[in-house]
Amino acid sequence: MASHRQSYRAGETTGRAEEKTDQMMGKTSEAAEAMKDKAQQAKDKTMETAQEAKDKTSDKAQSTKEQAQRSKDQTGGYLSEKAQAAKDKAYGAAQTTKEKASEMAESAKETAEAGSEKTGGILQRTGDQVKSMAQGAADAVKSTFGMGEAEEEDDPNYQATKTTTTRTTTRP
């Protein structure tokens, strides 16, 4: 049967293990939340940039359309070469802007995915560390109560103890 002191030590060991586990879980949670926030910021920035590019393209296309209509009106219903060139140039600019916005959105998506993968790796490593610490604490508690599974062949530090009882009987 374990002594009061052994029980106390086992309780202390368990308490320390729980405290360290709680600390690691807190750090993991904070790291995951920070990565999540960064990914969300990147996503928001990408969406904002894409929207600005879309708005610029739309404005430029509208301006070109109006310019083409004025040109058409001035030439009696026929588009001049300049109007056609302006239209072609605006179309090219719109295409380029659209492609760049698409590339930026893809890049942001990849960045967010990479952040998500990195967060998953951190969580996996932290989980493994917590599991290892918990196993160590369990082993310490078992050892404290003499419930360890050490054997002579496996553990060079194993020391077997024997208890010998001697009885003396005296007769009158």
Side-chain angles (χ1 to χ4, degrees):
M1 182 167 196
S3 71
H4 178 68
R5 182 177 218 158
Q6 286 175 327
S7 294
Y8 180 76
R9 284 187 196 152
E12 281 184 327
T13 301
T14 301
R16 276 186 249 130
E18 287 177 0
E19 184 177 336
K20 286 198 177 241
T21 299
D22 289 346
Q23 289 173 354
M24 289 300 294
M25 293 303 281
K27 288 178 182 178
T28 299
S29 182
E30 290 171 8
E33 192 62 34
M35 290 301 290
K36 183 178 176 184
D37 289 346
K38 285 183 181 182
Q40 184 63 41
Q41 289 172 355
K43 180 182 175 186
D44 292 346
K45 182 68 174 171
T46 301
M47 294 298 286
E48 182 181 312
T49 303
Q51 185 62 43
E52 288 174 4
K54 180 181 174 187
D55 292 345
K56 275 186 175 180
T57 302
S58 179
D59 290 346
K60 199 165 200 171
Q62 183 63 32
S63 173
T64 302
K65 183 179 177 183
E66 290 170 1
Q67 185 180 6
Q69 185 61 43
R70 281 193 303 270
S71 179
K72 181 179 176 184
D73 292 344
Q74 289 175 356
T75 60
Y78 297 102
L79 290 176
S80 70
E81 287 183 23
K82 278 190 170 187
Q84 184 63 40
K87 181 179 175 183
D88 292 345
K89 185 176 180 181
Y91 180 77
Q95 281 299 111
T96 301
T97 303
K98 182 178 174 182
E99 289 171 6
K100 284 188 179 188
S102 177
E103 289 172 6
M104 288 171 31
E106 183 64 27
S107 175
K109 179 181 173 187
E110 290 172 2
T111 301
E113 287 173 355
S116 177
E117 289 173 8
K118 187 174 183 181
T119 301
I122 290 170
L123 292 174
Q124 178 65 39
R125 285 193 304 276
T126 302
D128 290 345
Q129 288 175 346
V130 168
K131 194 163 57 171
S132 176
M133 288 170 44
Q135 183 61 48
D139 291 346
V141 170
K142 285 179 181 178
S143 177
T144 300
F145 286 114
M147 296 169 48
E149 297 181 8
E151 295 183 11
E152 286 182 54
E153 309 85 50
D154 297 339
D155 187 356
N157 296 323
Y158 178 80
Q159 295 178 352
T161 57
K162 292 183 180 179
T163 305
T164 306
T165 306
T166 308
R167 293 186 189 190
T168 309
T169 307
T170 55
R171 293 185 188 205

